[in-house]
Amino acid sequence: MSANAMIYETQFFGFTPQTCMMRMYLAFQDHLFHMMLVIEEVILKKLESMHYSKLKPSSIRRSSEKFLAYMRSHFDQLFGKMEQVLLRVVLTIPENVLLPEDRCQDQYRYTDSQFQELQEEIRHLEHRIKAEISAQQALKTEVEEQKATQEQLERILQWFDGLDNICREHGTSNLKESFAFLKGNATKLQTVMQEVEDKNEKLHKK
């Protein structure tokens, strides 16, 4: 097999020329082995019809193996020459041939300095893209926080509406008066509870 990597040919064909040659070699070997089995089977059947033959099936098998080894050694020599021709003439791309997908590189050539400028521009654009992504993420987080704050504010307003309705039911229309009303009721409730506790303590002392 050829030691040349043949990368450009692999790009064009979609497979390595060496792989193609290896598959051809294995296909020839399999066909040769199968052919020898068929020939051996025909000879053995012919031998069975010859009642007075001195040949034995074991000697036929040994002869078949020797012939197969002889064919393989000669086939390897011939295939090596065929491989060199195919890799040099058929499965190779001349140096002056350019693949269609690479023609743009020939049309738009860049110097090293121009290439460095393009690389710097690409890095600058990547930095801007990352900054925009971070800004979008921060904006998304802020929107979510505002949404949560809005929901909390709506719950507080609903609570105030409920509180206002309760105060109206008790004849208090102003919210400030409502808080004063609630504070007064809370104070009265504390006073009553204190009186109950005091009476309870006096009963226990008696």
Side-chain angles (χ1 to χ4, degrees):
M1 291 295 174
S2 174
N4 185 9
M6 303 183 75
I7 298 175
Y8 208 48
E9 287 77 7
T10 302
Q11 179 182 343
F12 176 73
F13 292 115
F15 56 85
T16 61
Q18 291 87 347
T19 301
C20 177
M21 297 306 303
M22 176 62 74
R23 290 179 178 177
M24 290 176 59
Y25 176 81
L26 295 176
F28 277 122
Q29 289 281 6
D30 291 341
H31 183 69
L32 179 61
F33 182 75
H34 178 72
M35 182 181 66
M36 290 303 303
L37 289 178
V38 173
I39 294 174
E40 183 182 87
E41 185 178 356
V42 172
I43 293 174
L44 290 175
K45 287 183 179 180
K46 188 68 176 179
L47 184 63
E48 290 177 359
S49 63
M50 299 170 62
H51 300 288
Y52 301 102
S53 176
K54 295 182 180 181
L55 294 175
K56 296 181 179 180
S58 58
S59 62
I60 298 297
R61 171 55 60 89
R62 287 195 297 270
S63 299
S64 299
E65 291 176 351
K66 289 181 181 179
F67 184 70
L68 180 61
Y70 171 82
M71 291 292 293
R72 281 182 171 176
S73 63
H74 283 70
F75 172 76
D76 289 343
Q77 296 177 5
L78 294 174
F79 188 85
K81 295 179 180 179
M82 183 179 68
E83 178 189 17
Q84 293 178 3
V85 174
L86 290 176
L87 290 177
R88 186 177 67 254
V89 179
V90 179
L91 297 175
T92 187
I93 298 177
E95 295 182 358
N96 60 337
V97 174
L98 194 64
L99 295 180
E101 57 267 28
D102 295 333
R103 289 175 183 170
C104 60
Q105 298 181 12
D106 185 61
Q107 295 175 358
Y108 305 100
R109 295 181 179 273
Y110 291 95
T111 62
D112 292 340
S113 60
Q114 290 175 329
F115 181 75
Q116 292 296 332
E117 291 177 0
L118 288 175
Q119 291 289 95
E120 185 64 29
E121 185 177 355
I122 290 173
R123 285 193 291 268
H124 178 67
L125 291 174
E126 289 177 348
H127 179 72
R128 287 184 56 185
I129 291 172
K130 290 180 181 179
E132 290 181 0
I133 292 175
S134 300
Q136 290 178 358
Q137 186 65 33
L139 181 61
K140 182 179 179 181
T141 302
E142 184 178 354
V143 170
E144 292 177 353
E145 291 177 354
Q146 290 181 356
K147 184 178 179 181
T149 304
Q150 181 68 26
E151 292 176 354
Q152 185 177 4
L153 179 61
E154 290 178 356
R155 288 195 296 269
I156 293 173
L157 291 175
Q158 291 176 358
W159 182 79
F160 273 111
D161 290 339
L163 182 62
D164 188 58
N165 292 332
I166 293 174
C167 293
R168 290 179 185 275
E169 291 177 359
H170 290 80
T172 306
S173 59
N174 187 274
L175 189 59
K176 186 176 180 180
E177 294 177 357
S178 300
F179 279 115
F181 172 76
L182 290 174
K183 183 179 180 182
N185 287 337
T187 302
K188 290 180 181 179
L189 181 60
Q190 289 179 352
T191 302
V192 171
M193 290 180 63
Q194 187 64 40
E195 292 176 356
V196 170
E197 289 179 358
D198 294 340
K199 291 180 180 179
N200 191 21
E201 289 179 359
K202 289 179 181 181
L203 289 175
H204 281 294
K205 289 179 179 180
K206 291 180 180 181

